[in-house]
Amino acid sequence: MSAAPDVVKLKICMAGEAMVGKTSLIRRFVLDEYDDRYTATLGTKITKKRMAMVHPEDGRALDVDLILWDIMGTPTLRDLLKEAYYHGAQAILGVADLTRRDTLGELDSWSRSIREVTGEIPTYVVLNKADLTGEREIDEAAIGDHCHARGWPWSYTSARTGEGVERAFQGIVGLVLARV
């Protein structure tokens, strides 16, 4: 009889401007559903999901209880309530919208605000809306330059189709597990 996997709890803050797809990514990841009607997040919404992972260093089986904090994409609220929202976070999943150039640069402000509370924690960037290829405003070179300069790994997702969503959440969890 094999031993039960260790359980690790991780608080991940979703960061990014309004309408980049933070809530839709969580919904796709947790429920495998997508709803194209936009509903603004008011304040914060907390969602939990357990995922099976293998520790990147020693290969042992882990059950990871993800606690995903979906924070309203408003800078005023971000700064006003940051102590309450970010306390105890172990990673940042920064979400940019490939169809809106400014959303990538805004991740710097989000990261800075979160790190004022948490200290240095890993950041993983998701470039969402990858299915909207004809509407892209951010090219691969700009993404690479931005993320490499900050040491942030990144990947592409589409909350609508589900493309890359599981990989993105595994990516941020892997970054955190490599540190513990």
Side-chain angles (χ1 to χ4, degrees):
M1 187 166 128
S2 62
D6 292 338
V7 177
V8 177
K9 292 184 182 207
L10 300 180
K11 177 179 177 179
I12 310 287
C13 283
M14 304 290 288
E17 296 299 290
M19 301 188 316
V20 295
K22 298 180 298 290
T23 303
S24 293
L25 285 167
I26 292 172
R27 185 179 181 100
R28 173 61 77 183
F29 177 62
V30 173
L31 302 172
D32 195 24
E33 294 177 357
Y34 177 77
D35 184 346
D36 62 0
R37 293 173 296 181
Y38 177 70
T39 305
T41 301
L42 300 175
T44 188
K45 181 178 180 195
I46 301 167
T47 306
K48 297 178 183 179
K49 179 173 178 168
R50 177 168 279 192
M51 60 190 294
M53 292 283 292
V54 174
H55 195 286
E57 303 295 319
D58 60 25
R60 68 191 147 98
L62 297 172
D63 280 338
V64 177
D65 285 343
L66 278 182
I67 304 157
L68 303 168
W69 284 60
D70 181 4
I71 298 159
M72 184 176 181
T74 306
T76 309
L77 188 71
R78 170 188 71 203
D79 295 332
L80 184 65
L81 298 172
K82 66 184 179 186
E83 294 291 331
Y85 287 170
Y86 307 145
H87 181 77
Q90 292 149 293
I92 302 165
L93 189 64
V95 182
D97 177 344
L98 281 166
T99 70
R100 292 170 38 216
R101 182 180 321 279
D102 62 308
T103 62
L104 180 61
E106 287 298 325
L107 292 179
D108 289 335
S109 298
W110 283 95
S111 173
R112 195 169 29 258
S113 179
I114 294 169
R115 286 188 168 107
E116 285 174 7
V117 176
T118 64
E120 275 303 311
I121 58 174
T123 298
Y124 187 98
V125 174
V126 170
L127 288 305
N128 195 33
K129 305 185 185 180
D131 56 302
L132 302 177
T133 53
E135 299 174 41
R136 283 192 184 186
E137 289 187 0
I138 313 172
D139 63 31
E140 288 192 41
I143 295 163
D145 290 347
H146 188 88
C147 292
H148 278 304
R150 291 151 184 81
W152 297 345
W154 75 93
S155 63
Y156 297 91
T157 60
S158 168
R160 186 174 65 79
T161 67
E163 172 195 347
V165 174
E166 186 83 21
R167 177 179 170 217
F169 284 95
Q170 288 173 346
I172 189 62
V173 170
L175 283 178
V176 177
L177 292 178
R179 295 171 48 130
V180 294

